[in-house]
Amino acid sequence: MEFRINPTMEQKILIWKTFGCNRFVWNHLLDERISYEKKNKGKLLNTTPSHLKKENSFLCEVYSLALCNTQLNLNRSCKLLFPEGKAPKFRAKGKNKRSYTTNRINNNIEMIHIREKENYIKLPKLGRVRIILHRSIPDEWRMKHATVKETASGKFFISLTFDVDIEPIETRKKFDRIEAFDYSMPSLVVSASGENDITKDDIRWYRNLEERIAKEQRRLSRMKYGSANYWQQKHRIGKLHEKAANRRKDFLHKLSRKVSDSFDAVIVEDINLQHMSRTLNFGKAVYDNGYGRLRNMLLYKLNEQGKVLVKVDRFFPSSKRCSVCQEVNHNLKLSDREWTCGNCGTHHDRDRNATKNLLDEGKDILNRWASGDSSLILTPSGVFL
Ligand SMILES: [Zn+2]
């Protein structure tokens, strides 16, 4: 859960110092790990930041657990990347993520309620920081850790992670209303019902905002780095990015809410969007329409209600198969928006046909699962494997 915080100037300075110390620790430990790994063939060095503290007393000014978390994150990245012959990136000043995480130990992080609209969060080293509680936190939730971050527009937020006991909801076995979403390039996302398509018009505002961002970015590039104007412009751009991200998130939240409330199951394609954008060179468009995000939002909104998201294998020939006679048209090209089945003569709109196939395939999987097919397993995330 994320909340806005309003630190005082003094607190901001300490937060910035912590970001800086984290960057310092990250870069120094990374440097040590890379040279150690080279000398010792694949062995991972696991030093703590304490030896750095001896030589650099400024590290003692900030909360030590924040530095520990940086070390842990670094270890995780090294473990993943070293075996592939890669290494985590060094962090540059001002560029990389501006955040740090602290763990909750012995009430070192606490919520302090003064009155209706005046609340504080007690944080290690920082003391009481004003927090905007836009929603309440149930008493039985146990806080685990807190991440303080600064956005590109200069706002401060804290995201809190809790341990929560959630009662399991039983998954239904009867699916009356089923929706399917097909990922399609020019028309973005096509729905089986035809009522939940995402068209270019739906995201026009996003494109417009993007153009504005590009314009402001060009303006920034002509400014003197570090000048007052420069930072002002940088914040302006940060605000636009946030606006775009928020509107997009909002749009997808509304759509996924509407769909998960009115359908019992949703079928989607299990495609790797990152892979797709690279191979087909669709680039940004793939990320823009948010098919992947929509899937994630649908997943948890359906799960809350005991409903199911079904991912259909991406090698399933949804576009090339005739939804009437099942004949596969191997000659169908990506540019063919309409086609006629050589076997039964049905004329198809490419996307509608694909969505219909996806829906049929998904219904089949759901029926098999509901009737006890043991080769289908429902994972906790609601996906069949
Ligand atoms: Zn046919």
Side-chain angles (χ1 to χ4, degrees):
M1 252 204 265
E2 201 168 86
F3 298 97
R4 178 91 185 260
I5 50 171
N6 290 327
T8 62
M9 200 51 198
E10 217 173 313
Q11 288 169 332
K12 276 184 195 175
I13 290 169
L14 191 55
I15 292 173
W16 288 327
K17 269 188 191 164
T18 313
F19 293 159
C21 289
N22 269 328
R23 191 174 60 239
F24 180 90
V25 165
W26 175 278
N27 287 341
H28 275 78
L29 292 183
L30 175 57
D31 192 38
E32 289 171 11
R33 278 160 177 60
I34 289 173
S35 42
Y36 184 88
E37 205 250 358
K38 267 190 198 136
K39 269 182 229 144
N40 299 280
K41 283 272 170 261
K43 273 196 190 154
L44 188 70
L45 186 67
N46 188 15
T47 38
T48 65
S50 56
H51 64 294
L52 295 172
K53 275 187 180 173
K54 274 182 206 137
E55 297 150 31
N56 306 279
S57 56
F58 60 89
L59 291 176
C60 302
E61 279 181 58
V62 307
Y63 188 51
S64 57
L65 273 182
L67 303 180
C68 282
N69 280 315
T70 300
Q71 178 212 341
L72 293 177
N73 284 336
L74 178 67
N75 285 357
R76 226 170 285 140
S77 307
C78 287
K79 230 181 230 166
L80 274 172
L81 293 172
F82 280 170
E84 293 180 24
K86 291 187 245 167
K89 286 200 172 68
F90 286 96
R91 290 186 175 167
K93 194 176 175 182
K95 266 191 177 171
N96 294 97
K97 63 169 194 176
R98 298 165 69 76
S99 70
Y100 73 87
T101 301
T102 64
N103 305 49
R104 182 165 185 256
I105 299 161
N106 307 327
N107 296 326
N108 61 348
I109 306 176
E110 247 181 326
M111 221 46 106
I112 300 158
H113 178 75
I114 305 287
R115 60 179 74 85
E116 173 74 22
K117 291 233 159 107
E118 191 182 351
N119 295 287
Y120 295 87
I121 182 162
K122 192 186 97 185
L123 290 165
K125 295 263 182 185
L126 286 175
R128 287 177 172 202
V129 183
R130 188 83 182 253
I131 185 168
I132 315 297
L133 282 181
H134 62 276
R135 55 184 287 192
S136 59
I137 301 164
D139 290 338
E140 62 277 14
W141 288 18
R142 293 174 302 277
M143 198 193 299
K144 275 175 71 190
H145 36 85
T147 299
V148 175
K149 53 185 154 188
E150 186 188 7
T151 66
S153 65
K155 289 179 200 153
F156 288 84
F157 289 89
I158 191 159
S159 71
L160 305 174
T161 313
F162 298 91
D163 250 344
V164 188
D165 305 317
I166 301 169
E167 296 226 350
I169 298 163
E170 212 182 312
T171 307
R172 61 178 73 199
K173 293 233 164 174
K174 203 168 168 297
F175 309 94
D176 295 323
R177 291 157 304 169
I178 305 173
E179 177 68 299
F181 284 105
D182 189 41
Y183 175 75
S184 127
M185 243 339 267
S187 31
L188 305 181
V189 172
V190 182
S191 61
S193 69
E195 285 165 20
N196 297 306
D197 297 1
I198 303 179
T199 65
K200 275 196 169 141
D201 283 338
D202 288 320
I203 60 156
R204 180 147 299 147
W205 55 268
Y206 188 68
R207 294 250 178 267
N208 294 344
L209 257 176
E210 261 191 341
E211 275 167 32
R212 258 184 76 195
I213 290 170
K215 214 171 88 189
E216 300 288 355
Q217 196 74 47
R218 281 195 295 277
R219 206 169 279 167
L220 179 75
S221 66
R222 290 193 293 268
M223 289 176 179
K224 189 167 169 270
Y225 176 84
S227 65
N229 281 339
Y230 178 90
W231 291 119
Q232 208 182 13
Q233 181 68 2
K234 211 155 163 75
H235 277 183
R236 184 175 296 144
I237 293 168
K239 260 186 197 152
L240 286 174
H241 275 295
E242 278 162 32
K243 197 173 164 188
N246 284 338
R247 277 196 70 171
R248 186 174 101 139
K249 205 160 75 182
D250 202 48
F251 173 79
L252 292 174
H253 267 307
K254 278 188 186 132
L255 179 65
S256 55
R257 174 50 64 204
K258 184 181 149 209
V259 170
S260 55
D261 285 352
S262 42
F263 291 91
D264 303 324
V266 178
I267 328 278
V268 293
E269 273 178 294
D270 190 11
I271 46 172
N272 182 338
L273 295 168
Q274 232 171 341
H275 175 77
M276 210 168 157
S277 74
R278 247 177 282 152
T279 52
L280 299 175
N281 203 21
F282 289 150
K284 266 166 51 192
V286 176
Y287 292 105
D288 279 358
N289 79 57
Y291 186 69
R293 278 204 159 198
L294 178 66
R295 282 191 317 203
N296 285 343
M297 290 183 182
L298 281 169
L299 178 63
Y300 77 80
K301 288 188 175 120
L302 288 164
N303 280 346
E304 301 174 332
Q305 307 177 58
K307 297 173 175 181
V308 178
L309 182 86
V310 184
K311 285 187 181 176
V312 171
D313 197 296
R314 66 194 172 104
F315 296 112
F316 164 73
S318 68
S319 305
K320 294 184 173 176
R321 198 167 78 186
C322 168
S323 57
V324 178
C325 73
Q326 316 304 317
E327 178 90 351
V328 176
N329 177 359
H330 291 287
N331 300 321
L332 192 72
K333 289 193 291 288
L334 200 62
S335 56
D336 296 334
R337 306 315 308 166
E338 287 175 39
W339 57 284
T340 304
C341 174
N343 186 46
C344 72
T346 310
H347 189 71
H348 291 296
D349 170 277
R350 181 201 180 89
D351 294 333
R352 295 285 159 217
N353 178 61
T355 316
K356 212 170 162 288
N357 279 327
L358 197 64
L359 185 65
D360 288 343
E361 178 75 9
K363 275 183 182 168
D364 186 50
I365 293 175
L366 280 172
N367 283 334
R368 274 160 56 204
W369 176 71
S371 55
D373 184 335
S374 58
S375 69
L376 296 169
I377 301 156
L378 186 70
T379 71
S381 58
V383 185
F384 293 97
L385 288 176

